[in-house]
Amino acid sequence: MMCVGSDFAIVASDMISSEDKPRVLSTLEETGKNLVFIDETQVNAFAGNCLELVNYRNERFLVISTTAYASLCEHQRAALPADLTLLPISVPTIEMAGGSVRCMMAGIHLPITKR
């Protein structure tokens, strides 16, 4: 129901409890995140189950399933950072089991070292 990137967040705010919603949204905004709101239908299409990647050249990518990508409206895609390359991939077998691309990947949060 949520993907948090370095400067954006894809959020299904209607699915956050009314008591937690103000705190969650204000924390995201206070940390400089541009919010892209999705609905429950888009959550069910895995639009919150994507992952931002950064390579050694500091290029940013959003790995997202083709199902999730197709569920996003043009204005939602346009609200994502301009320097973020969207990488839709087809993962129908994983999605049939209830997961998507974020479930298949692991983040490494170590500093990049020169070789």
Side-chain angles (χ1 to χ4, degrees), residues 94-110:
I94 300 300
E95 290 179 337
M96 282 177 27
S100 194
V101 295
R102 188 173 60 196
C103 303
M104 301 170 25
M105 304 176 76
I108 299 172
H109 303 279
L110 298 173

Side-chain angles (χ1 to χ4, degrees), residues 17 35 61 86-87 104 111:
S17 72
L35 302 182
F61 303 90
L86 301 183
L87 292 176
M104 301 170 25

Side-chain angles (χ1 to χ4, degrees), residues 8-61:
F8 69 93
I10 300 171
V11 184
S13 62
D14 290 343
M15 297 179 75
I16 301 171
S17 72
S18 58
E19 62 188 39
D20 292 330
K21 187 187 300 191
R23 182 171 40 90
V24 170
L25 296 180
S26 67
T27 299
L28 289 169
E29 289 171 342
E30 288 167 10
T31 56
K33 307 293 188 225
N34 177 42
L35 302 182
V36 178
F37 295 101
I38 57 175
D39 61 27
E40 187 173 354
T41 300
Q42 292 171 307
V43 168
N44 292 332
F46 306 103
N49 193 319
C50 42
L51 187 66
E52 179 186 18
L53 304 177
V54 180
N55 68 12
Y56 68 95
R57 291 184 295 230
N58 256 358
E59 297 167 320
R60 300 186 321 150
F61 303 90

